[in-house]
Each structure stands twice: as structure tokens, then as C-alpha cells.
Amino acid sequence: MKNPQVVDAVTRRWRAALFLFMLATGVSMASWVARTPAVRDALEVSTGAMGLVLFGLSIGSMAGVLASGGLVRRHGGRLVITVGAALLVAGLLVIAGGAALEVSGGVFGGLALFGAGMGLAEVAFNIEGAAVERTVGRPVLPVLHGCFSLGTVVGALLGMGLTAVRFPVGWHLAAVALAVAAAGVWTVRAVPAGTGRESAVSGDAESAAGAAGAAGTEGAESAAGAAGTEGAAGAEGAAGSGAGGGGRTGGVRGHLAVWRDRRLVLIGLIVLAMAFAEGSANDWLPLLMVDGHGTGATAGSLTFMLFAVAMTTGRFTGGPLLVRYGPAAVVRASAVVAAVGVALVIFSDSALLAGAAVVLWGLGASLGFPVTISAAGEGVRDASARVAAVSTAGYAAFLVGPPSLGFLADHVGLRNAMVVVLVLLGGAALITGALRRIPGAPVAEAPASQPDLV
């Protein structure tokens, strides 16, 4: 395997582009969330009616997530990211216009476009990130997701500040849209074409792998596009064929075929639990502190900010732990730490202790999603299809699972409903053995110094 300290200019630019756009998507998501009350006031709708408006985001997100894997297999990651970025920017602009014109339908439509763009781009980004990770031989996905978390912190702070000075929400979201568009243009130019695209002839990818390995892939953007780029990581870019043949597996049948692997099923269950834990905090943590522990609204928002900071910290600092202890041990410990945090939030009667426990919840949940995605991409066959399948499962849990807690909370209360999260985390901790590295798969090596981010 190539020395993980030596990363050519093309790969560095590829990696930096992914980091930048994930940061931008985090800023855009948090900017919307922070201005939700202002949008509701502008539309002059009830909380229930606002819930229907917000449903546009769920519809768009799930549509994008479910479509992304197949589109990447057919067209490659760069084209899917391009479409996703365009939809995301268009969605922000439509939301801004709908809020300014006080049109609920416009905001609903904008959220649907925004969600579709997020869903398309994020699954494609996981496939791209897994390819970069295999190429450079060191953890990349935790930092990639850490950039999104950092973006949510930046976006939330920006939103809080602009809300305090009563800056118009329409102009705020329009400015964010322009920033995301600029990041998207640079990202699309830096990401090589063809990553994750199926190839009927695996030999092409293998030939490009040899050429890329000999030349360090420098100046090989066009060759990388022809070979799926992941050839530099051992011809893994041919998602449907892989090294060793087996023919082309496409469409729904190809997506379902990867789930015949028992290890992938266990990885999918782990990502379901960890994504559910993260999504539950995103959806319910402020309300959980307000209704469950009697804090004020400001304290509830600050608690969520604490969770986001803990998530960001865990993702940016988790790489050395993965190198030293391996993904199975790290995710097992992460699930336990998150479970302890959730348990304290549920069962402690002290609002101060519950607020502090949110740090454990965030740190524990931070590495689950990216590490399971990385594990799914190991091996030389169907790497992109496996990453897409696990990403889809994770995003489905993240988007659909947590809202279901609201129905349960109507009967048992929100604190008691969070026991579901606790049970899922406990179950995930018991099956993390599935994350042990496949013999012969690339293993990240500990760098002699702190790894660079670009």
C-alpha cells in the first residue's frame, strides 16, 4: 500500500473539495434550522401547519437518498453531486423567496428541492469519501462528516446572530445559497469523473489502477474519470464488476444483491442504531431539555449547540483512535459512551447533569456513521454499491426514525421515549465485531505527524 504520508496534488484537491462542500452543506442546513421560527412568523401559520410545511424536507430528502445510489452507479459521483448541489442552491433560493413573499407552498417546494439535493449529494459524498480513504490509506470519512458538523455549528451561530439583529431571513438564506453555489462549483471541478460508476469491463479499471499507482495519479483526472478513479485504490471503482469479474449488476437487483452478505447486514444494523441516536438528538434535544427537564428555550438551544460541538470534536479527533484500536473497538466504545449519555439524560432529575451528559451523547454518536460507511466500502467487489446501500439505510434511520419518537412520546413522554435510543445503542455495541477489517483490505497507517486536511 502506498505510504499514507505521500498524497498527490490531484487527490489532495479531491479530498479538500469534499471537505469544503460538506462544510457548506452543514452551514446551509443549520442556517435553515436557525431561521425556522422567523419563517413560521413570516408565513403566519400555526405550529401544526408549519409541521406540514417541514414535511417537504422529509419528502425531498428521502427521494434524494433513495435515488442517489443508483444514479451514482449509472453516472458516477461527480454528476450526482452536481445535480445535488444545484437542487440544494435552488431550494435555498425558493425558500428565501417563499418566506419573503409569505407563501407557504413556496417554502414547502423549496424544502423539497433542498432535501432532494442534500440526499443526492450526501450519499454520493460518502462514496467519494470512501474512495479517497482507500486511496490515501488513512481515515477520511470521520473528518468529512466532521466538516458537516462544524458547518452546523457555524451555521447555527450565524443564524443566532442574524436573528438577534433581525436580519431578513430571505436575504440571509439567499446569501447562504450563493456561498454554497460557489463551493459547489469548485467542488465539481475538483472531483474526478466516474467514481462509483459501474463498468462492464473491470480490466479498464485495473489498467488505470496500475497507471495511477505508478504515476501517483498526478495529472490523471481524465484517466481517473474513465476508470472510475477508485482504480487507484485497487480497482474498486467498478461497483458492479469489481476485480475478478462477475459481470455487471445494476438497478434494484444490484442494490438488493449486496444485502446477501451477512456482514453488510450487521453493518447496516449498526448504522441504523448510530444514525438514529444522532438524528434523535438533532430532532428532539432542545425540546427534551425544555419539556423533560424544565429548562428555558435558550438553555435548550445551547444544549443542542453543546451536542453539535461534541459531534464535531469526536469526528475531527477520532482518526488516531481508529488507527490504533481499529473500527470495531472504537465503535463499540462509542456506542457505550453514547448510551451512558442518553441514560443520564433520561433518568437524571438534574437538568445540569443531563445537559453535561449531552457531551457523552455527542462524542459517542460522532464516529458511528462515518466508520460504518468506511467498513462497508472495504474489499474489491461492489464497493460503491455497498457504501450506497449502508448510506441509504443510515439516512433513512436519521430522517424517518426520530420523528416516530414523537408519536411514542404522546403516550409515554419524551424522556421515556428516548429509551428506544438507549436499547438501539446497546444492541449496536453487541454486534460491532462485524466492523473488523477484512484480511487484505487497506488499513490506515498512523501518520508521523498530524494528518493534513487538504
Side-chain angles (χ1 to χ4, degrees), residues 28 30-43 50 91-103 107 158-159 162-177:
S28 64
S31 296
W32 154 250
V33 172
R35 302 310 300 266
T36 301
V39 173
R40 182 186 63 180
D41 293 344
L43 298 178
M50 190 63 185
L92 283 171
L93 292 174
V94 173
I95 294 169
L101 298 174
E102 302 178 4
V103 179
V107 176
L158 179 64
L162 293 180
T163 298
V165 299
R166 300 182 183 277
F167 190 81
V169 63
W171 288 111
H172 173 195
L173 296 181
V176 172

Side-chain angles (χ1 to χ4, degrees), residues 438-451:
I438 297 175
V443 179
E445 298 177 14
S449 60
Q450 290 297 321

Side-chain angles (χ1 to χ4, degrees), residues 257-282:
V258 298
W259 289 111
R260 296 173 184 169
D261 182 355
R262 179 177 177 274
R263 176 175 180 264
L264 192 69
V265 171
L266 293 176
I267 291 174
L269 293 175
I270 295 170
V271 78
L272 280 171
M274 301 304 286
F276 195 98
E278 180 183 348
S280 298
N282 286 337

Side-chain angles (χ1 to χ4, degrees), residues 48 150 165 207 251 300 331:
L150 178 61
V165 299
S207 298
V331 174

Side-chain angles (χ1 to χ4, degrees), residues 250-349:
V252 176
R253 182 179 300 177
H255 286 293
L256 296 178
V258 298
W259 289 111
R260 296 173 184 169
D261 182 355
R262 179 177 177 274
R263 176 175 180 264
L264 192 69
V265 171
L266 293 176
I267 291 174
L269 293 175
I270 295 170
V271 78
L272 280 171
M274 301 304 286
F276 195 98
E278 180 183 348
S280 298
N282 286 337
D283 284 3
W284 296 111
L285 190 53
L287 192 58
L288 178 61
M289 295 303 297
V290 172
D291 291 354
H293 289 280
T295 69
T298 300
S301 298
L302 290 175
T303 302
F304 174 72
M305 180 69 67
L306 191 63
F307 174 83
V309 170
M311 288 281 296
T312 304
T313 301
R315 285 172 169 170
F316 275 111
T317 61
L321 295 176
L322 291 168
V323 170
R324 181 169 183 176
Y325 299 107
V330 169
V331 174
R332 183 183 303 115
S334 295
V336 171
V337 169
V340 171
V342 173
L344 289 173
V345 172
I346 295 171
F347 300 115
S348 173
D349 291 327

Side-chain angles (χ1 to χ4, degrees), residues 404-421:
S404 65
L405 291 176
F407 297 104
L408 181 60
D410 285 338
H411 302 284
V412 300
L414 193 51
R415 281 173 66 175
N416 291 331
M418 290 294 160
V419 172
V420 174
V421 180

